[in-house]
């Protein structure tokens, strides 16, 4: 954190404290103004102080300048510390719950004596907060929800940090002598949108028995620049904590247990319970060392072998949540074995009958193009030509360039005139390539009432229309559902981009009745996006599953604002696999001809588009 941000935080906190202590409103406002001025500074505060230019910053007076100087000299501001001494620290912490502002925290503290988050939670659960003005049931329910959200959002870490770090550890460990195999497992391998900790599994070379963490392995992980602290180091396991507070478990097993350990530590717990039960039902025993029949090791080196021995077809990690995958794998195993599988589990009805012999979840290599990306025309960092070059480099057959529409003022959204010129430029740039088709599109805003930011006659000029919500994201369920249903029903909309607008650690986004939105998409044939950005993953897994089950096409996009964003596709694909998406469910795995036929049929107003 820069000193500027750090200082701005100090002033903001002081303003909160003053408000909680009932200080003069104008002092509170002035203090907030200083915080904002500090946030907006383009130069490091140290430079300004050295050159005695603190007073020259607009909004910063003499006394604030003195406080800044004190902070730079000593690392703290004594006046602010004496404010802090007068407020219980838990009261300040309550301000981190969105919808708990200074006023609410003040009332909770002064009127009912609640001074920390645990006692707030208890009081909300018990329903004992009564008689405070403006603190009705609705408000309380709201706080409760945000409290729960904050707890889950803070405790877990997103894929954007966890995934590359796990890959880095795996790549560092793989070449070490004595190691036969390395892989990440746990929730990361299952493609969950956030992880509690990382689980990295190693298998020792068969002759280097027994399997133990060698000094080289220990040194490699302990001295990694991300490692902040080694929490435990044993014969077969090391646990460390990274700079961002993520725990990483490393375990080593003998090679003959590799598959069993991979299966065990991939989880989920719920899935594993079912698989172990199945072993018991067949007179076997499954644990992290292998599959046993009367103490005899009958499988364990190979993960898929374990599933087969239990009369299940292989189940991809992303599906291992006990959401019907065991029933599917059972039916598929019987189908491939020549038996006649029955659809005895209603959860599988959407798969169709007969159960296909080759049921495969979508993979990164199935994806033929990316249908949502930005250029410098709005808020992207690259030109049209650079985005096309990067897409060709990835081997894509087609892409759509979709810059923001006019209401996205802060993202430099395009007026109709600019949009038309941009479409012309995209088509001109595309003409130089015979190996990739570039669609001139737009990411048009879905306004609060579900209408679109450009009129239909403008949309009709485009090759591809992504419609996304960006503002008014706190609507209630009914308004949000009506808004999305209206957008989904417009035959000119090809796909709804990041349908809820949620940010994984930041905001809940719209919470529509997703069943209604999906049913509207079934009627209109509109596709729904899985936005692959690790902060979004929107649609999320369970919502995407609803869409897949209903037969709505899914579009897995990256919403790239720069070339490296194309790599985030992996996260979207993992989410799609968690939703049981097969290649045929994913629009951008289709050949372009099929996409065009689909679009033509929909745009011609053919209600029965399928
Ligand atoms: P996380 O880390 O909270 O995102 O979720 P996981 O699924 O990675 O959970 P974690 O790290 O506690 O354990 C990794 C896997 O190891 C888990 O999915 C299943 C297995 N496992 C861990 N502890 C137990 C246990 O006590 N019983 C069983 N059956 N399996 C366990
Ligand atoms: Ca884990
Ligand atoms: Ca773990
Ligand atoms: Zn967007």
């Amino acid at each position: 954190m820069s000193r500027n941000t750090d200082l701005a935080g100090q002033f903001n906190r002081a303003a909160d404290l003053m408000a909680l202590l009932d200080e003069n409103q104008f002092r509170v406002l002035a203090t907030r103004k200083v915080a904002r001025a500090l946030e907006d500074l383009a130069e490091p505060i140290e430079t300004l102080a050295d050159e005695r230019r603190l007073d020259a910053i607009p909004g910063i007076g003499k006394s604030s300048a003195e406080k800044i100087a004190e902070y730079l000299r000593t690392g703290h501001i004594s006046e602010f510390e004496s404010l802090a001494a007068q407020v219980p620290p838990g009261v300040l912490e309550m301000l981190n719950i969105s919808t708990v502002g200074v006023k609410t925290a003040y009332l909770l503290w002064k009127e009912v004596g609640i001074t920390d988050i645990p006692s707030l939670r208890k009081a909300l659960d018990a329903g004992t907060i009564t008689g405070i003005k403006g603190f009705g049931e609705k408000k309380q329910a709201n706080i409760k929800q945000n409290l729960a959200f904050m707890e889950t959002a803070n405790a877990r870490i997103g894929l954007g940090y966890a995934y590359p770090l796990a890959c880095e550890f795996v790549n560092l460990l793989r070449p070490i002598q004595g190691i036969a195999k390395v892989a990440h497992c746990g929730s990361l391998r299952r493609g969950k949108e956030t992880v509690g900790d990382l689980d990295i599994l190693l298998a020792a070379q068969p002759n280097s028995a027994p399997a133990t963490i060698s000094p080289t392995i220990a040194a490699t992980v302990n001295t990694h620049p991300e490692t902040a602290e080694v929490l435990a180091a044993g014969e077969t396991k090391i646990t460390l904590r990274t700079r961002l507070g993520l725990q990483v478990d490393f375990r080593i097993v003998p090679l003959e247990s590799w598959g069993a350990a991979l299966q065990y530590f991939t989880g989920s717990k719920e899935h594993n319970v079912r698989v172990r039960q199945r072993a018991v039902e067949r007179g076997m025993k499954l644990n992290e060392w292998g599959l046993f029949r009367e103490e005899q090791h009958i499988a364990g080196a190979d993960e898929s072998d374990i599933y087969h021995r239990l009369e299940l077809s292989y189940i991809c990690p992303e599906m291992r949540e006990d959401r019907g995958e065991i029933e599917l794998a059972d039916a598929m195993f019987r189908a491939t074995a020549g038996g006649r599988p029955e659809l005895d589990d209603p959860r599988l009805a959407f798969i169709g009958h007969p159960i296909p012999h080759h049921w495969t979840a979508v993979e990164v290599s199935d994806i033929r193009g990316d249908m949502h990306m930005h250029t410098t025309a709005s808020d992207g960092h690259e030109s049209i030509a650079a985005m096309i070059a990067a897409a060709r480099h990835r081997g894509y057959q087609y892409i759509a360039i979709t810059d923001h529409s006019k209401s996205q003022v802060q993202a430099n959204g395009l007026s109709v005139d600019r949009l038309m010129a941009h479409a012309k430029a995209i088509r001109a740039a595309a003409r130089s390539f015979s190996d990739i088709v570039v669609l001139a599109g737009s990411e048009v805003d879905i306004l609060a009432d579900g209408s679109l930011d450009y009129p239909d006659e403008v949309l009709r000029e485009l090759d591809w229309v992504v419609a996304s919500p960006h503002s008014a994201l706190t609507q209630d369920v009914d308004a949000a559902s009506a808004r999305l249903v209206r957008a989904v029903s417009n035959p000119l909309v090809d796909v709804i981009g990041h349908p809820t607008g949620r940010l994984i650690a930041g905001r809940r986004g719209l919470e529509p009745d997703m069943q209604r939105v999906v049913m509207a998409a079934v009627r209109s044939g509109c596709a729904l996006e899985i936005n692959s950005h690790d902060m979004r993953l929107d649609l999320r897994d369970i919502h995407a599953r609803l869409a897949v089950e209903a037969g709505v096409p899914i579009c897995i996009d990256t919403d790239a604002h720069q070339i490296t964003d194309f790599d985030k596709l992996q996260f979207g694909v993992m989410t799609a696999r968690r939703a049981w998406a097969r290649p045929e469910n994913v629009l951008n795995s289709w050949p372009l001809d099929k996409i065009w036929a689909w679009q033509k049929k929909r745009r011609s107003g053919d209600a029965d588009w399928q």
Side-chain angles (χ1 to χ4, degrees):
M1 194 163 35
S2 79
R3 289 256 148 132
N4 298 21
T5 335
D6 210 2
L7 254 171
Q10 296 271 343
F11 276 85
N12 261 326
R13 197 178 70 118
D16 289 341
L17 289 166
M18 289 174 192
L20 287 167
L21 291 166
D22 244 348
E23 289 231 11
N24 178 309
Q25 280 256 21
F26 294 104
R27 261 199 83 197
V28 177
L29 281 177
T31 308
R32 288 221 194 276
K33 223 162 150 184
V34 175
R36 201 159 329 123
L38 287 165
E39 280 164 9
D40 291 346
L41 276 185
E43 287 176 88
I45 191 77
E46 298 95 313
T47 313
L48 291 167
D50 285 349
E51 297 172 5
R52 304 192 174 283
R53 289 193 283 131
L54 287 178
D55 294 7
I57 308 169
I60 296 186
K62 189 161 164 278
S63 83
S64 303
E66 277 167 10
K67 291 193 182 75
I68 293 171
E70 182 190 350
Y71 176 81
L72 291 176
R73 214 172 44 243
T74 65
H76 54 89
I77 298 167
S78 47
E79 192 181 318
F80 291 174
E81 294 200 336
S82 65
L83 287 173
Q86 300 169 61
V87 177
V91 172
L92 263 189
E93 249 169 56
M94 293 197 291
L95 296 178
N96 295 332
I97 311 168
S98 59
T99 68
V100 175
V102 171
K103 225 161 138 185
T104 306
Y106 179 86
L107 287 174
L108 287 169
W109 174 27
K110 296 287 177 174
E111 304 268 322
V112 271
I114 291 175
T115 55
D116 55 31
I117 291 178
S119 42
L120 172 62
R121 189 185 311 108
K122 238 184 256 162
L124 286 170
D125 286 342
T128 51
I129 309 175
T130 50
I132 307 184
K133 218 177 136 216
F135 226 81
E137 252 171 57
K138 198 165 164 196
K139 170 95 181 173
Q140 297 203 28
N142 219 323
I143 295 178
K144 225 163 131 170
Q145 222 173 18
N146 284 309
L147 192 55
F149 179 76
M150 190 181 88
E151 282 166 352
T152 51
N154 287 351
R156 302 179 63 83
I157 288 191
L159 294 179
Y161 177 72
Y163 195 85
L165 182 64
C167 294
E168 205 179 308
F169 276 127
V170 168
N171 289 331
L172 280 174
L173 293 169
R174 188 167 284 139
I176 292 178
Q177 233 196 344
I179 296 182
K181 285 173 187 285
V182 195
H184 65 264
C185 38
S187 51
L188 185 68
R189 184 165 179 241
R190 301 201 310 281
K192 277 195 76 160
E193 62 193 34
T194 57
V195 300
D197 70 4
L198 292 185
D199 302 278
I200 298 196
L201 188 67
L202 304 102
Q205 290 288 5
N207 294 327
S208 69
T212 51
I213 300 276
S214 70
T216 322
I217 297 173
T220 303
V221 303
N222 294 352
T223 61
H224 189 277
E226 267 315 294
T227 303
E229 192 186 348
V230 179
L231 300 175
E235 291 266 286
T236 59
K237 186 178 166 190
I238 293 186
T239 300
L240 56 80
R241 192 171 49 76
T242 72
R243 271 188 327 110
L244 277 198
L246 180 63
Q247 193 178 305
V248 191
D249 292 338
F250 298 86
R251 295 181 184 84
I252 191 161
V253 296
L255 191 55
E256 68 264 22
S257 295
W258 168 255
L262 197 57
Q263 199 282 330
Y264 182 91
F265 291 112
T266 296
S268 66
K269 256 177 213 164
E270 293 76 11
H271 172 89
N272 284 359
V273 165
R274 293 285 311 276
V275 174
R276 274 201 308 271
Q277 249 171 17
R278 204 174 160 96
V280 170
E281 283 159 15
R282 283 164 177 70
M284 294 180 265
K285 199 181 122 194
L286 178 66
N287 58 28
E288 63 266 52
W289 305 108
L291 185 65
F292 300 85
R293 191 191 292 278
E294 286 161 9
E295 306 304 312
Q296 202 188 336
H297 191 264
I298 55 174
D302 181 68
E303 190 184 39
S304 60
D305 192 28
I306 292 171
Y307 284 99
H308 295 157
R309 298 275 180 155
L310 296 173
E311 297 172 83
L312 294 168
S313 64
Y314 178 73
I315 299 170
C316 75
E318 291 90 339
M319 290 170 65
R320 300 182 195 169
E321 298 287 351
D322 191 23
R323 292 178 181 155
E325 74 279 6
I326 309 252
E327 288 73 14
L328 175 66
D330 176 86
M332 274 170 59
F333 186 87
R334 281 183 277 151
T336 37
R340 293 227 266 112
E342 298 300 322
L343 272 185
D344 41 17
D345 190 296
R347 283 179 291 189
L348 299 182
F350 74 99
I351 301 251
H353 202 55
I355 293 277
H357 284 217
H358 293 287
W359 194 99
T360 45
V362 64
E363 291 173 25
V364 167
S365 60
D366 292 318
I367 302 300
R368 298 179 196 236
D370 199 326
M371 307 303 270
H372 181 173
M373 69 188 68
H374 298 266
T375 68
T376 47
S378 61
D379 60 350
H381 299 301
E382 303 286 349
S383 64
I384 298 170
M387 294 308 273
I388 297 177
R392 287 180 69 225
H393 185 72
R394 291 185 74 93
Y396 281 156
Q397 297 169 13
Y398 49 80
I399 55 169
I401 293 181
T402 55
D403 278 295
H404 286 289
S405 62
K406 63 181 195 304
S407 286
Q408 284 297 300
V409 177
Q410 76 292 347
N412 193 22
L414 277 63
S415 65
V416 172
D417 286 346
R418 283 183 63 216
L419 173 67
M420 289 304 144
H422 189 43
K424 214 166 151 185
I426 294 168
R427 287 171 182 144
R431 270 195 287 278
S432 359
F433 302 104
S434 57
D435 57 355
I436 187 166
V437 174
V438 183
L439 307 184
S442 168
E443 181 185 18
V444 57
D445 256 51
I446 304 175
L447 306 178
D449 64 355
S451 64
L452 301 178
D453 203 16
Y454 294 130
D456 283 359
E457 57 269 26
V458 169
L459 299 181
R460 226 170 260 125
E461 298 297 311
L462 300 171
D463 308 323
W464 191 252
V465 176
V466 181
S468 318
H470 287 108
S471 53
L473 296 175
T474 53
Q475 287 174 315
D476 63 32
V477 174
D478 283 342
S481 309
R483 177 189 194 177
L484 291 181
V485 165
R486 183 168 170 197
V488 127
S489 306
N490 185 332
L492 293 167
V493 172
D494 296 303
V495 55
I496 304 291
H498 48 75
T500 72
R502 67 135 173 195
L503 292 178
I504 285 173
R507 66 171 180 238
R508 277 154 55 201
L510 298 175
E511 294 177 312
D513 175 347
M514 203 49 85
Q515 191 72 46
R516 263 183 73 194
V517 177
V518 164
M519 290 330 286
V522 168
R523 282 191 296 277
S524 75
C526 186
L528 297 177
E529 179 179 83
I530 292 179
N531 190 296
S532 303
H533 198 288
D534 46 276
M535 299 285 288
R536 292 193 181 273
L537 296 174
D538 181 11
L539 294 179
R540 71 179 65 191
D541 54 1
I542 47 173
H543 289 154
R545 172 103 185 249
L546 280 183
V548 167
E549 290 192 8
V552 170
I554 295 291
C555 202
I556 310 175
D557 294 324
T558 65
D559 195 356
H561 283 70
Q562 52 205 358
I563 285 162
T564 49
D565 286 347
F566 280 140
D567 292 333
K568 297 191 184 290
L569 180 69
Q570 168 83 28
F571 303 142
V573 169
M574 291 194 297
T575 303
R577 288 159 69 85
R578 291 178 63 78
W580 292 36
R582 289 180 273 173
E584 53 267 44
N585 300 119
V586 178
L587 182 140
N588 51 328
S589 78
W590 299 350
L592 193 57
D593 285 352
K594 184 172 169 185
I595 297 179
W596 269 333
W598 163 86
Q599 190 190 56
K600 194 168 156 214
K601 215 166 173 182
R602 297 190 52 242
R603 287 199 177 189
S604 69
D606 189 344
D608 181 23
W609 66 277
Q610 283 174 313

